[in-house]
Amino acid sequence: MKFKLLYFGDIFVNPKKRAQHIADIRMQFHPQLKRLIELQPWNNLTKYMVPDATKSPIITRHIGGIDWNPIITPSLKMIAELDILLMHPEIVGVAHSDIDNRVKTIMDGLRCPQNEHEIGQNTPNDIGPIYTLLDDDHLVTKLNVNTSHLLANDMLPTGVKISPDSVFMLIDVNVRLTEGNLENLPFMV
């Protein structure tokens, strides 16, 4: 099963408030993933998500008073392959910041927080569950990153500015199953 995620914003390598920066990234993916589970076959995941979970394994994680619903989870025997196109305003080959730390930051933004300290102060706790791509980043078994120069300054909406830390990312997600079972049967396409 394949789908795409988009991200446009800053990726700071060593922000002073790392947990909040990661939380801001998570919140950009949340509405996309929430929309994904409204579509076939992803809507089958809702029967495993609290508060209305009707079947086991329950995949919702409760951390810091917030319900987190990962899409790719080991309890459903799912893994992910990611192909990332990372476009940035730098001239290719002249680095403002290193790619490995940018990728680490985005990977943290794709997964559930592991404890309360990773949530971020401004994470809303009144919007219902927050959707993340991954339960944990160890579920990524293949990662491909291509970088390119972002040439779209003139195409941005009025008031949107590109900083040296801005990136546009297109993430192709390929979900694979490690083992077939009744719970993940809808994803064997």
Side-chain angles (χ1 to χ4, degrees), residues 116-139:
E116 292 182 14
H117 302 291
E118 292 186 0
I119 292 177
Q121 291 179 333
N122 299 330
T123 300
N125 58 6
D126 58 351
I127 63 169
I130 296 176
Y131 296 90
T132 63
L133 177 65
L134 304 164
D135 184 53
D136 190 72
D137 58 9
H138 76 274
L139 296 170

Side-chain angles (χ1 to χ4, degrees), residues 3-177:
F3 59 91
K4 297 180 187 316
L5 295 172
L6 297 174
Y7 177 82
F8 179 73
D10 290 338
I11 298 287
F12 300 118
V13 176
N14 292 312
K16 291 181 181 177
K17 297 182 178 182
R18 181 166 175 77
Q20 187 57 54
H21 182 54
I22 300 301
D24 294 341
I25 293 169
R26 274 190 200 109
M27 292 312 297
Q28 200 170 129
F29 291 122
H30 163 72
Q32 297 173 67
L33 295 166
K34 185 176 181 181
R35 174 69 180 124
L36 178 72
I37 67 156
E38 295 172 359
L39 306 172
Q40 282 285 346
W42 301 100
N43 61 350
N44 287 290
L45 290 175
T46 58
K47 60 187 163 194
Y48 305 111
M49 296 176 174
V50 173
D52 300 320
T54 57
K55 294 192 174 185
S56 191
I58 295 173
I59 61 176
T60 301
R61 298 181 70 184
H62 308 281
I63 302 169
I66 300 172
D67 287 339
W68 301 88
N69 285 333
I71 304 299
I72 299 169
T73 173
S75 59
L76 291 175
K77 309 294 185 198
M78 294 178 167
I79 56 173
E81 297 174 345
L82 304 179
D83 191 0
I84 300 173
L85 173 60
L86 180 119
M87 300 174 74
H88 51 82
E90 306 157 15
I91 297 172
V92 175
V94 179
H96 166 72
S97 59
D98 54 357
I99 188 171
D100 56 335
N101 283 323
R102 281 183 169 176
V103 171
K104 169 69 173 130
T105 300
I106 204 69
M107 294 297 289
D108 287 345
L110 289 170
R111 67 170 173 78
C112 283
Q114 303 302 302
N115 57 55
E116 292 182 14
H117 302 291
E118 292 186 0
I119 292 177
Q121 291 179 333
N122 299 330
T123 300
N125 58 6
D126 58 351
I127 63 169
I130 296 176
Y131 296 90
T132 63
L133 177 65
L134 304 164
D135 184 53
D136 190 72
D137 58 9
H138 76 274
L139 296 170
V140 176
T141 60
K142 182 179 177 184
L143 179 64
N144 183 42
V145 180
N146 291 312
T147 63
S148 185
H149 190 69
L150 180 61
L151 301 172
N153 283 347
D154 297 337
M155 297 176 59
L156 296 173
T158 305
V160 175
K161 302 285 186 213
I162 293 181
S163 76
D165 294 305
S166 295
V167 298
F168 174 79
M169 240 182 261
L170 176 64
I171 303 172
D172 283 308
V173 180
N174 184 19
V175 179
R176 299 190 39 188
L177 303 176

